Amino acid sequence: AEVQRLKTDDGIREAAREELGYVEAGEQRSTIVDTDIVPTALPVGWPYDLVSGIVALKSGQPAEVPAAGG
Protein backbone atom coordinates (compact mmCIF):
# COMPACT_ATOMS: atom_id res chain seq x y z
CA ALA A 1 0.00 0.00 0.00
CA GLU A 2 2.86 2.39 0.81
CA VAL A 3 4.57 1.72 -2.52
CA GLN A 4 1.31 2.36 -4.35
CA ARG A 5 0.84 5.62 -2.41
CA LEU A 6 4.37 6.76 -3.36
CA LYS A 7 3.52 6.24 -7.03
CA THR A 8 0.93 9.04 -6.82
CA ASP A 9 1.58 12.80 -6.94
CA ASP A 10 0.08 13.21 -3.46
CA GLY A 11 2.23 10.40 -2.10
CA ILE A 12 5.40 11.89 -3.58
CA ARG A 13 4.54 15.32 -2.17
CA GLU A 14 3.79 13.85 1.27
CA ALA A 15 7.06 11.90 1.33
CA ALA A 16 9.03 14.96 0.22
CA ARG A 17 7.48 17.00 3.04
CA GLU A 18 8.23 14.36 5.70
CA GLU A 19 11.67 13.27 4.56
CA LEU A 20 13.14 16.41 2.98
CA GLY A 21 11.18 19.28 4.50
CA TYR A 22 9.76 20.23 1.10
CA VAL A 23 7.53 23.32 1.01
CA GLU A 24 5.48 24.54 -1.90
CA ALA A 25 5.49 28.05 -3.37
CA GLY A 26 3.83 30.49 -0.99
CA GLU A 27 4.32 28.28 2.06
CA GLN A 28 6.65 29.15 4.93
CA ARG A 29 8.45 26.52 6.97
CA SER A 30 8.96 26.89 10.72
CA THR A 31 11.09 24.62 12.86
CA ILE A 32 10.18 24.26 16.52
CA VAL A 33 12.94 22.99 18.83
CA ASP A 34 12.02 21.10 21.98
CA THR A 35 13.07 23.30 24.91
CA ASP A 36 14.50 20.28 26.77
CA ILE A 37 17.40 20.08 24.31
CA VAL A 38 18.12 23.80 23.97
CA PRO A 39 21.19 24.84 25.99
CA THR A 40 20.40 27.54 28.55
CA ALA A 41 23.84 27.97 30.14
CA LEU A 42 24.88 31.24 28.54
CA PRO A 43 27.83 33.57 29.15
CA VAL A 44 27.42 36.51 31.52
CA GLY A 45 26.91 39.96 30.02
CA TRP A 46 24.69 41.68 27.51
CA PRO A 47 22.71 40.32 25.61
CA TYR A 48 23.03 36.95 27.32
CA ASP A 49 21.72 38.21 30.69
CA LEU A 50 18.55 39.36 28.95
CA VAL A 51 18.10 36.03 27.16
CA SER A 52 18.80 34.08 30.37
CA GLY A 53 16.13 36.14 32.16
CA ILE A 54 13.58 35.44 29.44
CA VAL A 55 14.35 31.70 29.51
CA ALA A 56 14.03 31.68 33.31
CA LEU A 57 10.66 33.45 33.17
CA LYS A 58 9.34 31.10 30.47
CA SER A 59 10.42 28.04 32.44
CA GLY A 60 9.00 29.35 35.72
CA GLN A 61 12.39 29.55 37.43
CA PRO A 62 13.61 32.61 39.34
CA ALA A 63 15.89 34.77 37.21
CA GLU A 64 19.38 35.37 38.56
CA VAL A 65 20.23 39.05 38.78
CA PRO A 66 23.82 39.73 37.67
CA ALA A 67 26.07 41.69 40.03
CA ALA A 68 26.41 45.41 39.27
CA GLY A 69 29.35 46.26 37.04
CA GLY A 70 29.88 42.67 36.07
Side-chain angles (χ1 to χ4, degrees):
E2 184 176 348
V3 172
Q4 292 304 314
R5 173 80 174 148
L6 291 173
K7 289 182 179 180
T8 66
D9 289 343
D10 288 338
I12 293 168
R13 197 170 6 263
E14 182 180 315
R17 284 180 181 278
E18 290 178 13
E19 300 294 324
L20 306 174
Y22 173 78
V23 294
E24 294 189 18
E27 292 181 335
Q28 189 173 18
R29 181 178 180 185
S30 297
T31 302
I32 309 298
V33 178
D34 186 10
T35 56
D36 292 340
I37 61 171
V38 175
T40 56
L42 300 173
V44 176
W46 189 89
Y48 304 110
D49 293 338
L50 178 64
V51 173
S52 294
I54 293 169
V55 170
L57 287 173
K58 289 284 193 177
S59 65
Q61 301 172 359
E64 293 183 25
V65 178

